[in-house]
């Protein structure tokens, strides 16, 4: 397989090349957004394609925010939080306050988005990673309808695709 996305041991280390040959398993992901060649760590190699893509975008969010892996804890795992109250990850920025991180690839229902926006008010702040400015505007609109401040939203490229830089919305 050619160069692809790498999901490493902490589920939050993303690179475009495998740093140590043989540490992962080559896979092909088939998602609504296209086909991806990835190298996945054995801990996540058996996850379904949608989950692996979600984790890759979550890692892209961490790197875009400049959060060190040791400050970042992935809460999402194969047991998906269908109740909607748990973020995909939490992190502690320089201000030493617990913050929520969430990836929304555009499939969350309105009810789930509302639940997450409300639940994340218990954190110092929250940041959402999305893959389109349209979804970012949607999140802002739903927060406004709930009387909540607009969430911080980053428009991120899909793994292997390139936006010259991630865009804060």
């Amino acid at each position: 397989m050619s160069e692809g996305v790498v999901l490493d041991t902490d589920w939050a280390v993303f690179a475009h090349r495998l740093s140590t040959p043989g540490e992962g398993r080559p896979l092909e992901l088939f998602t609504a957004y296209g086909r991806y060649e990835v190298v996945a760590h054995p801990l996540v190699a058996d996850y379904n394609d949608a989950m692996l893509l979600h984790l890759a975008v979550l890692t892209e969010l961490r790197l875009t925010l400049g959060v060190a892996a040791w400050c970042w804890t992935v809460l999402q795992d194969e047991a998906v939080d269908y109740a909607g109250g748990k973020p995909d990850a939490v992190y502690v920025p320089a201000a030493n306050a617990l913050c929520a991180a969430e990836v929304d690839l555009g499939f969350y229902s309105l009810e789930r988005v509302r639940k997450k926006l409300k639940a994340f008010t218990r954190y110092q702040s929250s940041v959402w990673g999305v893959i389109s400015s349209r979804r970012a505007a949607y999140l802002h609109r739903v927060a406004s309808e709930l009387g909540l401040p607009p969430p911080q939203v980053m428009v991120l490229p899909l793994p292997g695709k390139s936006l010259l830089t991630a865009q804060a919305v």
Side-chain angles (χ1 to χ4, degrees), residues 2 38 80 96 157:
S2 64
V38 302
V80 177
N96 288 328

Side-chain angles (χ1 to χ4, degrees), residues 9-167:
T9 55
D10 71 351
W11 305 351
V13 178
F14 175 86
H16 293 285
R17 286 193 175 84
L18 189 59
S19 57
T20 306
E23 75 180 32
R25 190 174 98 191
L27 299 170
E28 285 184 287
L29 303 184
F30 296 92
T31 72
Y33 297 107
R35 180 187 153 281
Y36 297 92
E37 293 181 348
V38 302
V39 178
H41 187 276
L43 288 173
V44 298
D46 291 332
Y47 282 16
N48 68 48
D49 292 357
M51 180 67 74
L52 287 171
L53 180 63
H54 195 95
L55 288 170
V57 175
L58 182 62
T59 300
E60 188 71 23
L61 177 60
R62 180 183 68 79
L63 293 175
T64 299
L65 292 169
V67 177
W70 60 270
C71 295
W72 182 270
T73 302
V74 175
L75 302 177
Q76 177 195 27
D77 57 21
E78 212 166 11
V80 177
D81 172 34
Y82 288 108
K86 183 173 79 170
D88 293 330
V90 292
Y91 65 100
V92 180
N96 288 328
L98 193 61
C99 299
E102 182 70 24
V103 167
D104 177 0
L105 297 179
F107 300 111
Y108 289 165
S109 68
L110 175 59
E111 177 184 350
R112 189 166 184 190
V113 168
R114 286 177 176 155
K115 283 182 181 178
K116 285 187 174 284
L117 285 167
K118 288 177 189 175
F120 295 173
T121 61
R122 69 179 182 256
Y123 294 94
Q124 177 69 28
S125 67
S126 65
V127 61
W128 291 64
V130 299
I131 56 172
S132 75
S133 56
R134 183 176 176 185
R135 192 62 174 186
Y138 172 77
L139 292 173
H140 286 168
R141 189 180 80 244
V142 173
S144 175
E145 290 169 359
L146 292 171
L148 299 173
Q152 179 184 0
V153 181
M154 302 291 298
V155 178
L156 302 167
L158 283 167
K161 308 297 180 191
S162 177
L163 292 177
L164 292 177
T165 58
Q167 305 163 5

